[in-house]
Structures are given as C-alpha cells and as structure tokens.
Amino acid sequence: MEETSREAVATAVQRVAGMLQRSDQLDKVEQYRRREARKKASVEARLKAAIQSQLDGVRTGLIQLHSALTDVKDIQSSLADVSKDWRQSINTIENLKDVKDAVVQHSQLASAVENLKNIFSVPEIVAETQQLIEQAELLQAHRKLMELECSRDDLMYEQYRMDSKNTSDMNLISIYFEDVQGLSDELAKQLWMVLQRSMVTVRRDPTMLVSVVRIIEREEKIDRRMVDRKKQTGFIPPGRPKQWKDKMFEVLEGTVSTRIEGTQAVTREADKMWLVRLLEITRKYVLDDLIVVKNLMVQCFPPHYNTFNSLYHNAVSIRVKELAAEDLEANEIVSLLTWVLNTYKSVEMMGHPELHSECDINQLEPLLPQDVVDDLLSKYVQTFTSNITGWLRKALETDKKDWQKETEPEADQDGYYQTTLPAIVFQMFEQNLQVAAQIDGEFKEQVLKLCLKQMNTFLIRYREEAVTYKEDHLRDRQLPQCYVQYMIAIINNCQTFKESINSLKRKYSQSSEPTDSDAAIERTLNEVAKEGCQFLLDEVFLDLEHHLNELLTRKWLTGSHAVDTICVTVEDYFNDFNKIKKPFNQEMTSEALRRVVVEYIKAVMQKRITFKNADERREGAERMIKEADQFKFLFRKLAAVSTFSDTSGIQVFLKVFVLPALHREEHIQALLAVRGDASREMRQMIIGTLSENKVSYSGVTQPIFKDITVPTITMTTMTTMTSMATAKLLK
C-alpha cells in the first residue's frame, strides 16, 4: 500500500513539474488545481459506482445460493418419499402384467376387427382381383391387391409385436393369405408385358401405360414406408421391397436391347452387305422409336423418368461393341466405324431436328471406347495392306495377259495407247480413300500414305515384269504380235500413274509436303518409261541390224539401199511411237537420232571400206552427204510429228555430242583412215591442229564417241574429199 502511495506521489510530482516548466505557467496554478480536482472527483465517483455494483452482485449471489440450498433440501426430501413409495408399489407393478397382455391382445383384436371384413372375404377378393387382372383392369386390380396386402401386413405386424418368435402364428397368416403373393406376381407379369409392348401400347392405348406407371409409383411409396418401419421395428412384410421401379427399367432396357438385336435379319454368308443393312435398320428403328418417345411416351411418364435416350444409347453401345468383337472384314470395319463416329450423331439419327429438345449429342458418351476404335483401325490397316497387295498382284497378272493379245491395246481420247491397269489400280485406291474419308481426315491421310507406299512396291514389280516381257519377246520376235504397241502402252501408263497419283494427293491430302514415297515413285516410273523406250529402240535396231552392217561397205558404195530402208523402217516404227505420250515421245526421237548417228559413225570407225582412188573417195563422200541429208530430213519430220521442241535438234545434237568427242586421237585416225591416202605427216598435223583448238565439253549427257570403240588400225593416206564428207555427215 505504501509502495502504491509513493508511486502515486512520484507520478503527481512529475505531472506538476511538467505543467510548471515556464514562469508564465505559475499564473495558471489555480486553473490547474481546479481541473485536477474535477478529474479526481470524477474518478472517485466511478470507483464508488463500480464498488457498489460489485457489492450488489455479491448480495444477489448469496441470496440465490441460499434459495438453491433450500430447493436441494426439498428435492432430497421428495426423492426420499418417491423411493419409499416405489418400494411399496413393486408388488402392485408385478400384478399389472395381466393388464399389459390384455392391452396387446386388445390391439390385436382391434386390428382383427378392423380387417375382419377383408379377412372373411379374402377368397372373394382374390377371385375378383384375378378377374380384374385378366380383364386388364390393372388399376382396380392393384387397388384390391393393396387391400389384401394391407390386411395381411397389419395382422403380421401385430403378431410380430406380440411375439416375434411365434413362427407358427406367422405361418398360419401366411398360409391364409398365400394367394396374395400369386396375385402380385400375376399383376407384375401384366405390367411387364405392357412395358415390353410400350411402343405399340402408347399408340393404341396410352392410358394403359399411364396406369402401369401409376401402379409402380404406388408400390414405390409402399416400399419406402415399409423400409422405414423396418428400421424402427425390425418387421417387414413378405415380398417387400418389391422394387418394381427398378424392374420396370430392366424391362425397358431389355425391350430396347431386343428391339436393336432383332434388326439382324441376314448373316454374312447370306449377304455380303449384312452389316450395312443391319446398321441402317438399327438407325431407322432407333430414330423412329425416339421420335415416338419424344412425342408420345414422355407424356405417360413422370419427368424424372426421362431416361429413354440413355436406354437406347446404352443398348446401341452394347450392340456395336458386340459387332466390334466379331471377326470383321476390312470393309465391314469401315462401315461400322463410319456409322459409330459419323452417322450416329448426324441429323440422320441422334442429331435429328425432332430430337434436339430431348437429346444433346454433345453430352453423349462415345459408343465405342477409343482403344476399341484404335484396334479396329489397326486391324483395318493390316487387312487393307494384305488385300491391296493381293489386288495389285491380280491386276498386274490380268494386265500381263493383255500384253499377249493379238489385238492392239485401246487408245485414249487423244489416241495414245494404254491398258486398263492404271484405271483399275486407282479405282481401288479411290474407293478405299473415299471410305477412309468417311471415318476422319487423319485416317484418310494414313490410308493415302499406305496406298503410295504399296504403289511404290507395285511399280518395282511392274518394272520387273516389263523387262521380262521384253526378254520373252527376244526369244521369239514373232510373239507377241503386238509387242511394240503394248510396250508403248506400258510407257504411257507411267505418265497416267503420275497424273493419277497427283490427282489423289490433291483430292485426299491436306499436306503439300512431298513424302519419301513420292520421290521413289517418280524415280521408278521414270526408269520404267526410259527402259521401255530403250526396249522399243532395241526392237527398231534389231530390224535395222542387217542394213546398218551394209553401211560403209563395198556393197554400200556400189549402190546399196540400206539408208533408204533404214529411214523407211524408222519412220514406220515411229508411226506407232507417235502413240507415246509426252515427254517420252520427245525423248524417243532424240534417242533414235542419237543411236542412228552412233551406228553410222561406228560404220565409219570400223574401217569396213578403204577407198582405193579419188573417184571412190568422191563417190563415197557424195553418198555420205546424201545420206546425211536423208537422216536430217527424216528426223526433222519425226521431230515435227512428235512435237520436238527444236526443229534443228539434229544440228544441236551433232554439235554437242559429236564434235567434242572427235578430239580423241583414235577417232580422228579412224575417220582419216577411211580416205586411204593420209600420210603420217598429214595425220599428225590435223591431230595437232585440233588439239590446239580443242572444244571444251561440260554437258550432262556423255558424247556419243564415248561409247564407240575404235578397232586397232594402221593409218594410211587421207584425202580432203573424205574429210569433207565426214564433216557433212556430222552436221
């Protein structure tokens, strides 16, 4: 207490010191004193009020404690009295057991009296109910059934309450009401029958369907009431809960499944289009049924029963899963996937305008899991690969048989020879790509790549067969009779293949990027066409072989018609070669020119003749000039017919391929040797002069002299006449 006083004094001193720090504040001492006095009085007043309040609370608490003590004493006294009275009344309570039994018996008798009329009339009500069921008066029959079940259930409940272990009395009641369960089962059969025929019933007699739904709703309410009473008492009547609502949905689901399963009228053995027919019938049945559901059925069921869309969706899903599990062929896989992925949600089925209000296609689960779809696509690709390999092999075998025909191949609208092979091949590709496009774009691209890959393999085989065709012909050049025409058709097919491939890519591919197969196909087709052209020229030069051998011989010098025959033969062949498509016909003309020049120069190089005198050299030179003009005329004519781009192609050819090659010494010596009068000095001078003025060559194609082997010869004299003739020939 003293410490508190000291702290208070110290605080006051400090406070006063703070107020009187300046001399002018001394004038306000009285003012400060009055203010502090007011504060002190205020604090003392609040303190007194707080203390008084505490004292009042303590006083009230003491009064309540005193009152509680009194109440406790009174309760203690009362409990003592109750205990005394209870001990005195034990015997009395034991004597009331008979009263309790009488009460239970009274309750049972009251229930019996209440159901007395029904109890005595059970057989009659059973008969009436049976008759009503047979007459399809289902609502009235159910009302009677409920009366019977209520009487039975009440009696059983009272018996259960009195003695739950007394099974004999329970059995007695069950036996007496044994027909009731039979009536319930019979009524249920009628309900299920109506539901199974709901699509027909809703059109003919919708009130019947409404009655069935009302009965099921009643039974649901009774089931819930009985289940609740079981939780409270442990008793539930026999046959409860009936769960007719669940059974109703089972029946409806079974009906829908039966409806869908019943669409398969034919099998694969009877009709190759069985799956297409099955899916179309399913589509029609489901659409028709759902339209009926939307327009008629929905009105017969409570709103929360609106599960028909899901019933049909689930049934269809189960059915297509069963179909997917079968050993389907490639076309059947595509038909199924097209139907599942496209048709099902299209306006032709679940997306039909009349179903928009009842069915949101975006909320529908997929009919097939993605892994099943992937498995089917993989199986299709495997089957398709195997099938297309077989189809291409068969198509090529058929085309090969055509190559042996004695009649010329057909010509297209422009007159170019062709066979049916490209059309058959790309018709197969087109059909499969159209089918693949029905599934989705990604799968279409996959099938296109597969087609191109198989095409490349096929073309390699095509090339091999063309080579075999040529080799077989060389064994007997009389067979086949139309070898040239069909070889032309083979060449033309290459161009048709190119055009068809580009057409497929434009039509079915979204990508413009070249693939690995593109380059391989292009390369193989060019090789087939190029080899075909070589084979045809081989055929020409086999016929010309005898006449080419006459060139630059004594017979040639004395009046041979070898060049005339060569020109006629070449022109005759080119009448057929004009049936070759661009650009191969142009290449044929260029290559024919090259080979004629090569053969003529070979004749010069082989020193088949040595001119003996100036007259022979002059005559030989004149003949060579004439024949050069003949060849020039011939190939200009052929170049014009084949739309050769450069009518002066012969001169260009000789300038590019012949002259640069002449700078090889052995070729120059061979040319000079034809004269027969060239001295060693003259030969060395000409070779030296040409060497000093050597023409550079940087062309892609090798000069023809590269392929001409010069036999070993002994150079003799040369003449200017022979040199001039040779130069004229080479122009």
Side-chain angles (χ1 to χ4, degrees):
M1 189 69 178
E2 292 179 357
E3 184 179 355
T4 303
S5 298
R6 285 196 300 271
E7 290 178 356
V9 171
T11 302
V13 170
Q14 185 178 1
R15 184 175 179 81
V16 171
M19 293 179 181
L20 301 176
Q21 291 180 355
R22 301 189 304 274
S23 59
D24 60 335
Q25 291 178 329
L26 293 175
D27 296 337
K28 298 180 180 179
V29 169
E30 185 62 26
Q31 182 180 350
Y32 290 154
R33 187 185 66 77
R34 288 195 299 270
R35 187 175 67 185
E36 293 300 322
R38 287 195 299 273
K39 287 183 178 180
K40 179 181 178 184
S42 176
V43 171
E44 289 177 349
R46 290 198 302 272
L47 184 59
K48 288 178 181 180
I51 293 173
Q52 185 62 42
S53 176
Q54 293 291 330
L55 292 174
D56 291 343
V58 171
R59 186 183 298 110
T60 301
L62 291 172
I63 293 172
Q64 290 177 348
L65 287 173
H66 180 71
S67 176
L69 180 60
T70 304
D71 291 341
V72 168
K73 290 180 179 180
D74 291 343
I75 292 170
Q76 186 178 10
S77 177
S78 298
L79 287 174
D81 293 340
V82 169
S83 178
K84 181 179 177 182
D85 293 341
W86 178 74
R87 285 193 296 271
Q88 292 176 354
S89 63
I90 289 176
N91 295 332
T92 305
I93 293 173
E94 291 178 354
N95 294 333
L96 290 176
K97 184 177 182 300
D98 295 337
V99 177
K100 177 183 177 183
D101 294 340
V103 170
V104 174
Q105 187 176 9
H106 179 271
S107 175
Q108 290 177 334
L109 292 173
S111 177
V113 169
E114 183 179 351
N115 294 286
L116 189 61
K117 180 180 179 181
N118 290 339
I119 292 173
F120 283 111
S121 59
V122 165
E124 181 182 349
I125 297 175
V126 168
E128 291 177 2
T129 305
Q130 182 66 44
Q131 186 176 5
L132 289 171
I133 292 174
E134 293 174 355
Q135 294 174 354
E137 299 290 341
L138 302 183
L139 276 178
Q140 297 182 33
H142 186 249
R143 191 176 297 110
K144 295 286 185 181
L145 177 63
M146 286 194 299
E147 292 176 3
L148 292 171
E149 289 181 337
C150 183
S151 298
R152 179 198 64 186
D153 297 346
D154 287 347
L155 289 174
M156 285 187 165
Y157 177 63
E158 293 301 332
Q159 175 61 36
Y160 180 84
R161 287 178 58 196
M162 182 178 70
D163 186 1
S164 60
K165 297 180 181 180
N166 189 347
T167 57
S168 60
D169 288 348
M170 282 289 194
N171 290 336
L172 182 62
I173 297 173
S174 296
I175 293 172
Y176 187 75
F177 285 93
E178 63 180 353
D179 292 336
V180 174
Q181 186 60 43
L183 288 174
S184 178
D185 295 340
E186 185 64 27
L187 178 61
K189 290 180 182 179
Q190 294 298 317
L191 300 181
W192 313 147
M193 188 179 299
V194 172
L195 289 172
Q196 287 170 353
R197 304 177 59 193
S198 56
M199 286 296 168
V200 178
T201 304
V202 76
R203 292 183 176 95
R204 295 181 179 177
D205 187 7
T207 56
M208 175 69 74
L209 195 57
V210 174
S211 298
V212 170
V213 176
R214 289 179 61 186
I215 291 170
I216 292 172
E217 281 291 287
R218 288 177 185 173
E219 289 294 336
E220 280 294 301
K221 292 179 181 178
I222 297 173
D223 278 350
R224 288 194 293 270
R225 189 168 67 249
M226 293 297 114
V227 171
D228 290 341
R229 187 167 71 176
K230 180 184 179 182
K231 293 178 181 178
Q232 297 174 1
T233 66
F235 172 77
I236 189 166
R240 293 288 177 184
K242 293 184 179 180
Q243 299 179 326
W244 279 6
K245 184 178 179 180
D246 293 340
K247 180 64 177 176
M248 177 191 71
F249 286 116
E250 290 179 10
V251 172
L252 289 174
E253 184 175 351
T255 301
V256 173
S257 298
T258 302
R259 172 87 162 156
I260 292 174
E261 291 174 0
T263 57
Q264 184 166 348
V266 295
T267 60
R268 181 186 291 119
E269 291 73 17
D271 187 353
K272 291 184 178 180
M273 301 296 291
W274 69 278
L275 184 58
V276 174
R277 298 183 190 280
L278 167 62
L279 295 173
E280 175 58 21
I281 294 172
T282 301
R283 182 200 66 80
K284 186 176 184 304
Y285 280 12
V286 171
L287 179 59
D288 292 347
D289 286 1
L290 288 178
I291 290 176
V292 171
V293 167
K294 184 244 183 182
N295 294 330
L296 300 175
M297 192 84 76
V298 172
Q299 303 172 14
C300 301
F301 288 82
H304 60 279
Y305 277 43
N306 189 21
T307 58
F308 289 98
N309 290 336
S310 61
L311 284 178
Y312 274 90
H313 179 76
N314 293 338
V316 171
S317 179
I318 291 172
R319 183 58 179 143
V320 295
K321 287 176 183 175
E322 293 173 351
L323 293 172
E326 294 188 14
D327 186 18
L328 298 177
E329 298 177 356
N331 62 319
E332 294 169 349
I333 291 175
V334 172
S335 297
L336 180 62
L337 289 178
T338 302
W339 194 90
V340 168
L341 299 178
N342 299 319
T343 304
Y344 183 69
K345 291 186 178 181
S346 70
V347 294
E348 298 178 355
M349 199 169 177
M350 304 303 284
H352 193 278
E354 287 199 44
L355 302 180
H356 282 173
S357 59
E358 301 294 328
C359 178
D360 184 358
I361 59 175
N362 296 320
Q363 299 299 321
L364 293 175
E365 293 292 328
L367 287 177
L368 288 176
Q370 188 59 42
D371 60 332
V372 175
V373 174
D374 293 341
D375 288 344
L376 287 174
L377 290 176
S378 176
K379 182 179 179 182
Y380 171 82
V381 170
Q382 293 175 0
T383 306
F384 172 69
T385 303
S386 176
N387 288 348
I388 202 170
T389 301
W391 294 336
L392 292 173
R393 184 185 301 111
K394 184 177 180 181
L396 183 54
E397 291 299 323
T398 302
D399 205 56
K400 284 170 54 182
K401 292 179 180 178
D402 291 343
W403 299 350
Q404 307 299 326
K405 289 182 178 179
E406 297 180 358
T407 56
E408 294 183 354
E410 296 180 357
D412 63 12
Q413 58 186 4
D414 297 321
Y416 297 118
Y417 286 138
Q418 64 178 5
T419 68
T420 58
L421 182 62
I424 293 173
V425 169
F426 284 94
Q427 183 179 9
M428 290 188 295
F429 288 169
E430 179 88 16
Q431 290 174 351
N432 283 278
L433 285 168
Q434 287 176 354
V435 169
Q438 296 174 9
I439 297 177
D440 60 43
E442 183 178 350
F443 183 63
K444 175 189 66 178
E445 293 277 357
Q446 183 180 354
V447 172
L448 176 59
K449 290 181 180 178
L450 179 60
C451 288
L452 294 178
K453 182 179 180 181
Q454 291 297 315
M455 184 67 189
N456 186 44
T457 304
F458 166 76
L459 289 176
I460 293 174
R461 176 75 185 279
Y462 188 57
R463 178 186 180 187
E464 295 171 352
E465 293 297 340
V467 172
T468 302
Y469 183 54
K470 184 262 296 188
E471 292 173 349
D472 291 343
H473 171 70
L474 292 180
R475 295 188 184 95
D476 183 356
R477 294 188 61 217
Q478 301 302 316
L479 298 175
Q481 294 183 8
C482 296
Y483 167 78
V484 171
Q485 290 79 5
Y486 277 99
M487 186 59 72
I488 292 173
I490 292 172
I491 297 170
N492 289 339
N493 285 349
C494 294
Q495 186 63 23
T496 305
F497 278 132
K498 288 183 181 181
E499 295 169 356
S500 300
I501 289 171
N502 291 333
S503 175
L504 283 183
K505 291 176 65 179
R506 286 193 302 269
K507 188 173 181 180
Y508 293 102
S509 178
Q510 302 298 323
S511 174
S512 59
E513 295 295 326
T515 64
D516 294 339
S517 297
D518 294 341
I521 289 173
E522 180 77 14
R523 183 171 57 254
T524 305
L525 285 173
N526 287 336
E527 289 172 353
V528 173
K530 183 177 180 181
E531 290 176 354
C533 291
Q534 293 293 337
F535 297 160
L536 290 175
L537 289 177
D538 290 345
E539 185 73 6
V540 175
F541 282 87
L542 282 174
D543 286 349
L544 297 179
E545 184 175 7
H546 173 70
H547 305 291
L548 290 171
N549 289 335
E550 289 185 5
L551 295 176
L552 274 294
T553 62
R554 282 291 166 185
K555 182 179 180 181
W556 167 79
L557 184 62
T558 58
S560 169
H561 298 287
V563 171
D564 295 336
T565 305
I566 291 171
C567 291
V568 170
T569 304
V570 170
E571 185 174 6
D572 181 60
Y573 269 103
F574 266 82
N575 288 332
D576 286 332
F577 295 168
N578 289 333
K579 304 293 180 66
I580 299 176
K581 291 183 177 181
K582 297 178 183 179
F584 306 123
N585 58 353
Q586 299 169 357
E587 295 176 4
M588 281 285 288
T589 305
S590 298
E591 182 62 18
L593 167 61
R594 182 183 188 279
R595 292 183 68 165
V596 167
V597 173
V598 167
E599 293 298 329
Y600 203 100
I601 294 176
K602 278 184 179 180
V604 175
M605 297 296 173
Q606 290 173 357
K607 196 188 174 185
R608 298 174 182 172
I609 185 174
T610 300
F611 299 119
K612 298 179 179 179
N613 51 51
D615 291 337
E616 285 188 357
R617 283 192 288 274
R618 182 175 58 256
E619 184 179 353
E622 291 174 351
R623 191 168 188 83
M624 294 170 72
I625 292 170
K626 175 185 175 183
E627 290 174 351
D629 289 336
Q630 284 183 269
F631 286 135
K632 184 186 300 183
F633 176 80
L634 170 66
F635 282 100
R636 279 181 174 175
K637 181 178 180 181
L638 296 181
V641 173
S642 65
T643 64
F644 194 43
S645 59
D646 186 355
T647 56
S648 61
I650 297 174
Q651 293 92 325
V652 173
F653 180 84
L654 293 173
K655 179 180 179 181
V656 174
F657 298 114
V658 177
L659 294 179
L662 283 174
H663 288 199
R664 291 179 59 179
E665 182 176 344
E666 61 269 26
H667 293 139
I668 298 172
Q669 291 177 350
L671 285 174
L672 296 176
V674 176
R675 289 178 54 88
D677 63 346
S679 65
R680 180 181 297 272
E681 291 77 10
M682 183 184 295
R683 182 190 64 188
Q684 294 298 331
M685 180 189 69
I686 294 174
I687 293 175
T689 301
L690 290 175
S691 298
E692 292 174 0
N693 299 278
K694 188 172 184 180
V695 181
S696 62
Y697 176 75
S698 59
V700 176
T701 305
Q702 294 212 359
I704 58 175
F705 276 85
K706 191 83 172 179
D707 302 327
I708 298 176
T709 302
V710 179
T712 302
I713 60 173
T714 302
M715 294 299 298
T716 58
T717 60
M718 299 179 290
T719 65
T720 305
M721 184 72 71
T722 306
S723 178
M724 292 173 56
T726 304
K728 180 68 175 178
L729 172 65
L730 295 176
K731 289 183 180 180

